[in-house]
Amino acid sequence: METLIKELEAYKKSLSAAERVQLSDSVLDKLYAVYPFNKFEYTISHLIAKGVISLDEYLEMRAEYLQRNKYLHLFELAPRTFGETWGQNHLMELVPEFKIPTKRLDPTFSGEYDLLLNDIHVEVKASRAVKKVGGDTLANKALASNSTSKFDMNYQQLKPGCCDVFVWIAVWRDKIDYWVMSSEDVQNNPLLSNQHRASQLSESGEVVEGQIHINNGNYADFEKYRVQVRDIYDKVIEIGKRRK
């Protein structure tokens, strides 16, 4: 969004002083907007009408914006829809071998994990990179992978005792990262903390249900778990065999 705003500001300089007033922040901030008509549509329409932007330039600007923000729509999803519905379905599209567990596939299954790969129990968690500031919508706080802004991603409701392998999905405006790790990797991670203040530890002192916050300071620590899409299946199999 920042790039688009800078591009439009540069184009506005070609307008006369009177025309620039029509597109000033004071005017745009008061503009009544109803999707999909907003201040950006209003500004671009004016610039095209004045001959400042050609149709070809607009189409190029649009294509570049879509490329920079191809996953922005995921920041508009409700938390449960994003984390459970989209996250699991997305992973099954990437790796068709994943199955939704049932009593027929796993007689012991009682809802404690998300996906099944052979006899490997897989838990899927997804989070979105957003600016670490209060207020505003997730879409407006969404960050690109090259952003220098402080960000926070929270992987929560982590129950290492209920699965063999975790697949974490990290969504940026312009890319998606995938991390695959064993339940021990999560259980033994020093960043793991209790999900709730009243949560009890297991008899061995382990976190039963926890969370891990990932930010600018520790994001690089998870690089060792990052995999390419084509390697997700093999990595899950590798970890699953090792645990069995």
Side-chain angles (χ1 to χ4, degrees), residues 110-200:
S110 59
E112 65 272 27
Y113 61 92
D114 296 324
L115 298 177
L116 191 63
L117 181 57
N118 298 337
D119 61 344
I120 303 169
H121 300 173
V122 180
E123 182 73 4
V124 182
K125 296 296 180 183
S127 190
R128 295 167 283 198
V130 297
K131 291 180 182 177
K132 195 173 182 179
V133 294
D136 215 337
T137 65
L138 287 182
N140 286 337
K141 294 193 296 182
L143 292 174
S145 58
N146 62 353
S147 173
T148 57
S149 297
K150 290 185 177 180
F151 69 87
D152 179 75
M153 290 188 290
N154 186 21
Y155 291 88
Q156 52 189 335
Q157 295 179 323
L158 303 174
K159 300 177 182 178
C162 294
C163 67
D164 301 309
V165 179
F166 281 95
V167 177
W168 288 6
I169 305 172
V171 177
W172 303 81
R173 285 190 340 208
D174 57 333
K175 75 166 187 172
I176 298 179
D177 284 332
Y178 303 92
W179 295 312
V180 180
M181 61 196 83
S182 70
S183 57
E184 287 87 0
D185 290 329
V186 174
Q187 182 68 74
N188 298 327
N189 193 297
L191 297 173
L192 182 67
S193 62
N194 270 344
Q195 178 76 43
H196 309 290
R197 291 184 179 181
S199 296
Q200 299 296 315

Side-chain angles (χ1 to χ4, degrees), residues 51-111:
V52 176
I53 298 179
S54 68
L55 180 58
D56 286 342
E57 288 173 326
Y58 160 70
L59 292 175
E60 183 177 354
M61 182 190 303
R62 182 180 186 276
E64 291 176 351
Y65 177 84
L66 292 176
Q67 183 63 30
R68 293 194 305 269
N69 297 279
K70 55 186 175 181
Y71 299 115
L72 184 59
H73 64 284
L74 298 178
F75 289 80
E76 298 174 346
L77 297 178
R80 183 175 293 275
T81 301
F82 169 73
E84 296 180 10
T85 305
W86 176 82
Q88 294 174 31
N89 288 338
H90 175 68
L91 199 56
M92 287 191 289
E93 289 174 356
L94 297 177
V95 184
E97 291 85 355
F98 281 122
K99 305 297 182 185
I100 297 175
T102 63
K103 283 286 188 180
R104 182 178 63 81
L105 295 174
D106 177 8
T108 67
F109 178 67
S110 59

